[in-house]
Amino acid sequence: GQSLEQPSEVTAVEGAIVQINCTYQTSGFYGLSWYQQHDGGAPTFLSYNALDGLEETGRFSSFLSRSDSYGYLLLQELQMKDSASYFCATNSGGYQKVTFGTGTKLQVIP
Amino acid sequence: GAVVSQHPSWVICKSGTSVKIECRSLDFQATTMFWYRQFPKQSLMLMATSNEGSKATYEQGVEKDKFLINHASLTLSTLTVTSAHPEDSSFYICSASNRGGTQYFGPGTRLLVL
């Protein structure tokens, strides 16, 4: 089975940097994705790491260490609109089935 | 980018009735569609995977006779919650996968069973 653990809540100040961690136990690991979900909305794709290392996309970066079964999402220059839930996810199987992590609710405060 | 729609966006129904939710890929052909359920303050849980023209594959613990999934074409999948009860109230989200394996999520359908 698949299991992805994240901290449940994180609070950070506007303009700061925050890191959201994800540890996973999976079979048939293909890569780690990150999604953002605002209250009442659907998840939106942020990034994907298939290989070890850091992927940067604007203010967001994502890191993966396959040997440690660990990854993180780094958000820089935090803005109030970044307040949302963030989910790591793995995909597996021939149909690219996505399994979501427990989710981290990020609150950005002034 | 690719667009996936869901209809209705929200629905309120009486206990015991059936509710159908549609998921459409508007500008691409979806080889596979997925149905998720999300309870408040929880993560998305995969319910089933459906491929066009074949039976859906349900995750463990999901009743296939209660949650009927039909994937009649490459652009449409439907989820029918049969004999809905208050505990079925949830946020139902579909996603559609193109041939490259990229998933696009629909906006979700909020179901409230009274």
Side-chain angles (χ1 to χ4, degrees):
Chain A
Q2 321 279 50
S3 168
L4 300 94
E5 297 293 327
Q6 301 176 235
S8 58
E9 294 182 357
V10 173
T11 300
V13 178
E14 189 177 15
I17 300 173
V18 71
Q19 178 175 311
I20 299 174
N21 298 320
C22 172
T23 56
Y24 60 87
Q25 286 186 313
T26 67
S27 56
F29 180 81
Y30 289 83
L32 192 70
S33 302
W34 287 92
Y35 292 83
Q36 178 192 63
Q37 185 183 32
H38 286 98
D39 284 346
T44 56
F45 173 80
L46 292 177
S47 68
Y48 175 70
N49 293 67
L51 303 174
D52 286 0
L54 191 68
E55 293 282 342
E56 298 182 62
T57 309
R59 294 189 296 115
F60 296 176
S61 302
S62 58
F63 172 83
L64 175 65
S65 169
R66 296 171 70 110
S67 60
D68 295 324
S69 297
Y70 164 76
Y72 65 73
L73 179 69
L74 192 73
L75 296 83
Q76 304 182 69
E77 301 173 18
L78 280 173
Q79 302 175 9
M80 299 300 291
K81 67 179 183 179
D82 296 330
S83 293
S85 292
Y86 292 83
F87 296 90
C88 59
T90 61
N91 60 293
S92 63
Y95 299 127
Q96 298 295 304
K97 183 172 75 171
V98 176
T99 301
F100 285 85
T102 51
T104 299
K105 188 171 180 65
L106 170 65
Q107 183 179 12
V108 181
I109 57 176
Chain B
V3 177
V4 175
S5 70
Q6 280 184 242
H7 178 80
S9 55
W10 59 268
V11 58
I12 301 174
C13 70
K14 292 182 179 180
S15 185
T17 60
S18 294
V19 175
K20 179 185 283 188
I21 303 171
E22 292 186 349
C23 176
R24 293 181 185 271
S25 56
L26 298 184
D27 52 0
F28 69 101
Q29 292 185 330
T31 53
T32 307
M33 288 185 170
F34 303 88
W35 287 96
Y36 295 85
R37 179 169 54 181
Q38 184 178 33
F39 292 108
K41 300 187 186 303
Q42 294 187 23
S43 186
L44 286 81
M45 300 301 296
L46 180 66
M47 299 176 67
T49 302
S50 75
N51 291 283
E52 184 261 342
S54 62
K55 290 184 178 180
T57 302
Y58 289 81
E59 294 299 300
Q60 193 172 13
V62 178
E63 301 174 57
K64 62 180 181 180
D65 294 329
K66 181 171 181 62
F67 299 99
L68 302 179
I69 292 173
N70 183 278
H71 193 159
S73 76
L74 284 172
T75 60
L76 173 65
S77 176
T78 61
L79 167 68
T80 301
V81 183
T82 62
S83 186
H85 288 94
E87 58 265 31
D88 298 323
S89 299
S90 188
F91 190 43
Y92 291 86
I93 305 171
C94 74
S95 71
S97 176
N98 62 13
R99 296 188 193 281
T102 303
Q103 280 201 34
Y104 302 92
F105 285 85
T109 296
R110 199 162 296 280
L111 170 64
L112 176 61
V113 184
L114 302 177

